[in-house]
Amino acid sequence: MKYKRITALFMAFLLVMPAFLVSAEQNKSSEEKTPGGEGSYSEKHEVVYATLNASGNQEEMYGVNNFSIEEPGKIVDHGSYTSVQNLTDLTDIDQNDNRVELTAKEDEFYYQGNLEDTPLPWNIDVSYKLDGEELQPEELLGKDGEFEIQIDTEKNEDADPAFFENYLMQITLTLDSKLYENIEAPDGTVANAGKNRQVTFTAMPEKEGSFTLSADVTDLEMESIEMVAIPSSMSIDAPDTGAVTDDMNSLSNATSELNQGVGELKQGIAELNDGAAVLYDGSAEYKNGIGELDNGSAELVKGSASIQSALQKMSESVGAGSGEMNLSDLSKMEDGIRQVAEGLKEAENGLSNLKEQYGKAHGALGETIESIPAYNITEEQIQVLYESGADKEVVDQLVETHQTAAATKETYANVKEVFNAVDPALETSAGSLNEMSSSLSALADNLASSLDSVDIDESMKELQEGLQTLSSNYNNFHSGLTDYTGGVSELAGSYQEIHNGLGELSNGTSELENGAAELHNGTSELAESTSDIPGQMQSEIDQMVEEYDKSDFEPVSFVSSENEKVESVQFVIKTESIKKPEKEEEAPKEKEEKSFWDRFIDLFK
């Protein structure tokens, strides 16, 4: 039995002895590898961790520094740390004010530096509302209602501006889908993350942010709000704007053509307005002439009636018998006939003058009406003009004036024959008066020569027959003259309405010309502003790309400007959660495990 125990102890010695030898060799090797000279590193990375209270006020901060070691040895770093801690091995780190000395042996070396009174590059404010009432975070726990949270970020003037100007910050809220419903985030994205709903907002470089989230909550609890800030160093390529540029060129050309068309329209309306003004002036002359004619018609009819009566009396006197008439009576008759002839001559001259004035007025009216453009503008073309973006009121005026001008031309075309018939009627009437005046003059001449004739009775018989014929013909003329002057009176009365309509047309075309001028000014500005749309668009794109393209940003250390070879700096920020305290469960007592040596000894008991 004793022999067996000695053998077992010997075997145990043989098992343990190599382990001691290996351990001693490793310690020796480690001591031989421990560097004593200056080391170097290729790059440094900083990750800044900060905790905020639930309202966004800064509480704690520390930074984790990572070095990619090129040559093991002593490394010098800088930072206003309250304390430092080696996260790579057990070697000590020396700290003297802002100078940190460490000894790096591995390829990657990490250490932590705790910061105090170092501001973040952003001021962050978090506020909460429940059912429209602003509450403090500690008042929200376990509440139900319409929940709203607002997160505001702005530049912290006490920090290095490089981070605010070049970093984008991603803000993430994680909400339990069992507690939160009807989640809305106008400026964020909402996504599923397992049993939770994740809401993400992004604050762009150089931009202050204000983000709002609303939801219906039951038994309110909320995880920490997490914020990660990294350099916006991605390179932004300008988009291919070829197709859009072609469209913009088409738009620019279209607005230019529209402006040119409106310019031509303006010129046409100006000509229309000039024609309408001339038309109105000619109409005024015509109206005055027809009025004068109407005013003189009564006197003309009255004079004609006197002539008719005189002829009738003369005819009756002569018919009564030549025996009752002496030579002095015949002489008076001769004088009367000559006076009637002169009256008819004056009436003829009046009608001739009226015919001349009417011809001028009618000619001016016809030329003006003909000068109104007869454009065949379709409803489709009018609709295109409405859709062009032109002032609707001006377009309405254009359409109304076009329709009025077309109606005026159509009305004139319908009554043109009436106007044309007046001139021949005046000419015929004047000719008739001329014939009767000549006949009376010839009759007076015959009467004068008859006084010298021996056969008075025969001459009186011829005179009686002549007067009867003249009186009968004059009755027909007087009847026609009365009808004619009645027509003139009716024409003078109705033409006032036509003249008033032409006045409205002239006023309308004047306003239309002013409106067309304003429209042309507007389309000119539009054409000018759109003439360089492709260039302006490309300039805006270039400016936007330049604003957000931070690919040329050179990272700088957050903890000290003396640090070199800084490859990246990141920020990880978390707010305090709003949660109920977790119940602590008693951990089961763990059975104490025996060491290898104890178990080995037990083999021999």
Side-chain angles (χ1 to χ4, degrees):
M1 185 71 177
K2 183 178 180 182
Y3 175 74
K4 288 181 179 181
R5 287 184 176 181
I6 293 173
T7 303
L9 288 171
F10 180 72
M11 292 296 294
F13 176 76
L14 292 178
L15 290 172
V16 174
M17 191 64 186
F20 282 115
L21 293 175
V22 171
S23 177
E25 183 64 24
Q26 286 179 341
N27 288 336
K28 181 179 178 182
S29 175
S30 178
E31 290 176 359
E32 290 176 354
K33 289 184 179 180
T34 300
E38 296 291 333
S40 63
Y41 60 92
S42 59
E43 58 187 36
K44 177 193 177 184
H45 302 270
E46 296 177 2
V47 181
V48 179
Y49 296 89
T51 58
L52 315 177
N53 65 15
S55 297
N57 297 319
Q58 184 175 328
E59 291 189 337
E60 297 181 355
M61 180 188 293
Y62 66 91
V64 173
N65 300 280
N66 165 230
F67 297 88
S68 297
I69 304 301
E70 286 183 326
E71 187 69 30
K74 183 183 296 183
I75 302 294
V76 176
D77 196 33
H78 301 87
S80 301
Y81 301 117
T82 57
S83 61
V84 295
Q85 181 180 353
N86 190 335
L87 303 178
T88 304
D89 53 36
L90 300 179
T91 59
D92 293 332
I93 297 179
D94 295 330
Q95 180 184 8
N96 184 12
D97 293 331
N98 292 341
R99 180 183 176 88
V100 179
E101 293 185 6
L102 53 94
T103 301
K105 297 180 291 183
E106 308 295 337
D107 293 338
E108 299 290 331
F109 188 89
Y110 297 85
Y111 85 91
Q112 175 180 323
N114 298 317
L115 296 163
E116 187 175 313
D117 299 329
T118 301
L120 285 167
W122 301 269
N123 289 325
I124 301 171
D125 179 74
V126 186
S127 58
Y128 307 86
K129 287 183 179 180
L130 191 67
D131 294 331
E133 180 183 358
E134 187 166 347
L135 298 176
Q136 295 301 314
E138 59 271 14
E139 299 176 300
L140 295 168
L141 189 62
K143 297 289 182 65
D144 304 337
E146 295 180 3
F147 177 62
E148 180 180 310
I149 179 171
Q150 180 168 327
I151 304 170
D152 296 320
T153 63
E154 63 180 15
K155 180 181 180 181
N156 190 339
E157 300 293 343
D158 296 329
D160 189 339
F163 300 100
F164 178 81
E165 294 170 357
N166 295 280
Y167 276 52
L168 60 83
M169 178 188 291
Q170 181 172 291
I171 304 170
T172 304
L173 297 90
T174 302
L175 306 176
D176 190 335
S177 57
K178 295 180 181 179
L179 306 180
Y180 292 86
E181 296 180 345
N182 303 321
I183 300 171
E184 294 184 3
D187 298 318
T189 57
V190 183
N192 292 321
K195 67 175 183 178
N196 298 322
R197 302 275 281 172
Q198 195 170 72
V199 182
T200 305
F201 301 104
T202 301
M204 300 302 293
E206 298 185 88
K207 303 293 182 182
E208 296 182 352
S210 183
F211 310 102
T212 303
L213 177 148
S214 61
D216 295 328
V217 64
T218 303
D219 193 19
L220 190 149
E221 282 190 293
M222 197 171 86
E223 299 287 347
S224 300
I225 302 173
E226 298 182 357
M227 309 174 198
V228 177
I230 58 175
S232 176
S233 57
M234 64 273 199
S235 177
I236 301 177
D237 295 328
D240 183 7
T241 59
V244 179
T245 300
D246 292 341
D247 292 340
M248 292 300 102
N249 279 325
S250 299
L251 174 62
S252 178
N253 294 336
T255 54
S256 177
E257 292 175 4
L258 173 63
N259 181 52
Q260 183 177 355
V262 172
E264 295 175 358
L265 175 65
K266 173 191 171 186
Q267 181 64 30
I269 291 174
E271 295 175 0
L272 173 63
N273 185 40
D274 293 341
V278 173
L279 173 62
Y280 183 72
D281 293 340
S283 175
E285 293 180 6
Y286 178 79
K287 184 177 77 70
N288 293 335
I290 202 71
E292 291 176 3
L293 177 60
D294 183 39
N295 294 333
S297 294
E299 296 181 1
L300 183 62
V301 171
K302 183 178 179 181
S304 177
S306 299
I307 294 173
Q308 182 187 28
S309 177
L311 288 175
Q312 185 68 29
K313 288 180 180 180
M314 290 171 62
S315 177
E316 291 175 353
S317 297
V318 173
S322 58
E324 299 177 1
M325 183 178 294
N326 55 32
L327 292 178
S328 61
D329 292 332
L330 292 177
S331 297
K332 292 179 180 180
M333 182 181 295
E334 177 190 354
D335 294 338
I337 291 173
R338 293 191 184 280
Q339 289 177 4
V340 172
E342 290 177 1
L344 290 177
K345 190 65 176 177
E346 290 178 2
E348 177 200 351
N349 293 335
L351 285 178
S352 297
N353 183 53
L354 175 62
K355 174 180 176 296
E356 182 181 357
Q357 295 299 322
Y358 174 83
K360 292 180 180 179
H362 183 213
L365 178 65
E367 290 177 2
T368 304
I369 293 291
E370 293 297 328
S371 69
I372 297 177
Y375 298 129
N376 184 22
I377 300 176
T378 65
E379 290 295 330
E380 290 77 9
Q381 291 172 321
I382 292 174
Q383 189 60 34
V384 169
L385 187 58
Y386 274 114
E387 295 173 355
S388 68
D391 189 330
K392 183 178 180 301
E393 183 177 352
V394 174
V395 176
D396 288 341
Q397 294 176 353
L398 288 172
V399 173
E400 182 181 358
T401 302
H402 166 68
Q403 293 173 344
T404 303
T408 301
K409 287 181 70 69
E410 183 178 359
T411 302
Y412 181 75
N414 294 332
V415 300
K416 185 176 181 180
E417 295 300 323
V418 177
F419 284 116
N420 292 338
V422 172
D423 189 270
L426 290 174
E427 184 175 1
T428 301
S429 298
S432 298
L433 289 175
N434 179 266
E435 289 179 3
M436 286 186 289
S437 176
S438 299
S439 297
L440 287 175
S441 295
L443 181 61
D445 292 339
N446 290 333
L447 181 60
S449 62
S450 297
L451 292 177
D452 299 329
S453 175
V454 176
D455 191 356
I456 298 297
D457 292 334
E458 185 64 26
S459 298
M460 292 300 296
K461 183 179 180 182
E462 292 178 1
L463 174 62
Q464 179 185 2
E465 291 175 354
L467 286 174
Q468 287 177 345
T469 302
L470 179 62
S471 177
S472 176
N473 291 336
Y474 194 85
N475 287 337
N476 295 334
F477 169 77
H478 181 74
S479 178
L481 181 64
T482 302
D483 293 339
Y484 166 73
T485 54
V488 169
S489 178
E490 183 178 351
L491 178 61
S494 61
Y495 190 78
Q496 182 63 46
E497 296 181 4
I498 298 176
H499 183 67
N500 293 340
L502 293 175
E504 293 177 2
L505 174 63
S506 179
N507 294 334
T509 55
S510 179
E511 293 179 3
L512 184 61
E513 182 179 8
N514 295 334
E518 293 179 7
L519 178 62
H520 188 234
N521 292 336
T523 55
S524 297
E525 293 179 5
L526 177 63
E528 183 178 355
S529 62
T530 58
S531 62
D532 191 33
I533 280 184
Q536 294 174 0
M537 182 181 67
Q538 188 61 50
S539 177
E540 291 290 337
I541 292 174
D542 293 343
Q543 183 178 353
M544 187 176 298
V545 169
E546 182 180 355
E547 181 178 358
Y548 289 106
D549 186 352
K550 306 293 183 179
S551 56
D552 58 347
F553 171 65
E554 294 291 337
V556 294
S557 172
F558 174 71
V559 293
S560 176
S561 59
E562 297 182 69
N563 292 331
E564 300 176 347
K565 300 181 181 180
V566 178
E567 184 66 20
S568 70
V569 177
Q570 300 179 21
F571 295 85
V572 179
I573 307 167
K574 294 180 66 173
T575 66
E576 182 183 7
S577 63
I578 303 175
K579 300 189 70 174
K580 299 175 183 177
E582 296 182 1
K583 295 181 180 179
E584 295 184 2
E585 297 181 359
E586 293 185 1
K589 293 183 179 180
E590 295 182 0
K591 186 177 179 180
E592 185 177 351
E593 295 185 4
K594 293 184 179 181
S595 66
F596 171 78
W597 184 255
D598 292 335
R599 284 179 292 174
F600 179 75
I601 296 299
D602 288 344
L603 294 174
F604 303 98
K605 292 184 179 179

